[in-house]
């Protein structure tokens, strides 16, 4: 038996760097996955699930570079953490599912990189137009 999950999804916000009790750095981020299907009426329905992902050790260096909206794939395992909450004097116990990543790969460029490439392309196009005009 083994515990393995594979996700393809987008980051909900930039990855957040944290330090554990043992002074080791780790990264936490939220990952959105979506699915769609046709209901009985023939209309499409969508559902987005949010997953809390933890990256430790060598993966934390890579995960630090991830930005909101990026598409990634990851492999990992599901771990459950027991939590107690008190609401209006009543204690509720429940489990929180966490994804502990074992490997990750970026499937889309960062938005910043895309913006830089777009700006560079516009500058180059403008430079070519100006050059053509000066040659006339």
């Amino acid at each position: 038996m083994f515990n393995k999950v594979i996700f393809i999804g987008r980051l909900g916000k930039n990855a957040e760097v944290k330090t554990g009790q043992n002074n080791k750095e780790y990264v936490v981020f939220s990952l959105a996955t979506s699915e769609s299907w046709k209901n009985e009426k023939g209309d499409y329905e969508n559902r987005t699930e949010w997953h809390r992902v933890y990256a430790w050790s060598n993966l934390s260096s890579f995960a630090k570079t991830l930005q909101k909206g990026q598409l990634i794939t990851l492999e990992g395992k599901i771990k459950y953490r027991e939590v107690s909450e008190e609401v209006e004097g009543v204690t509720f116990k429940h489990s929180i599912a966490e994804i502990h990543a074992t490997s990750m790969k970026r499937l889309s460029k960062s938005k910043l990189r895309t913006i830089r490439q777009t700006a560079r392309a516009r500058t180059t196009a403008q430079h070519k137009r100006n050059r053509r005009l000066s040659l006339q």
Side-chain angles (χ1 to χ4, degrees), residues 91-125:
T91 301
F92 294 94
K93 292 183 179 183
H94 57 275
S95 297
I96 296 176
E98 302 172 336
I99 308 304
H100 290 252
T102 55
S103 70
M104 283 189 260
K105 184 177 180 183
R106 190 183 330 260
L107 299 177
S108 69
K109 297 177 183 175
S110 72
K111 288 183 178 183
L112 182 59
R113 187 179 298 164
T114 304
I115 291 168
R116 285 181 185 153
Q117 288 173 339
T118 303
R120 203 173 297 131
R122 286 182 184 156
T123 303
T124 303

Side-chain angles (χ1 to χ4, degrees), residues 47-73:
R47 177 175 43 228
T48 300
E49 300 280 347
W50 288 93
H51 313 278
R52 189 166 176 86
V53 179
Y54 291 81
W56 304 88
S57 309
N58 298 337
L59 273 182
S60 67
S61 298
F62 171 76
K64 280 191 240 182
T65 67
L66 298 175
Q67 297 176 342
K68 179 180 178 177
Q70 283 188 311
L71 183 66
I72 66 164
T73 181

Side-chain angles (χ1 to χ4, degrees), residues 36-54:
S36 61
W37 65 93
K38 268 189 179 179
N39 62 21
E40 304 82 37
K41 296 177 184 176
D43 297 327
Y44 281 99
E45 292 189 35
N46 297 304
R47 177 175 43 228
T48 300
E49 300 280 347
W50 288 93
H51 313 278
R52 189 166 176 86
V53 179
Y54 291 81

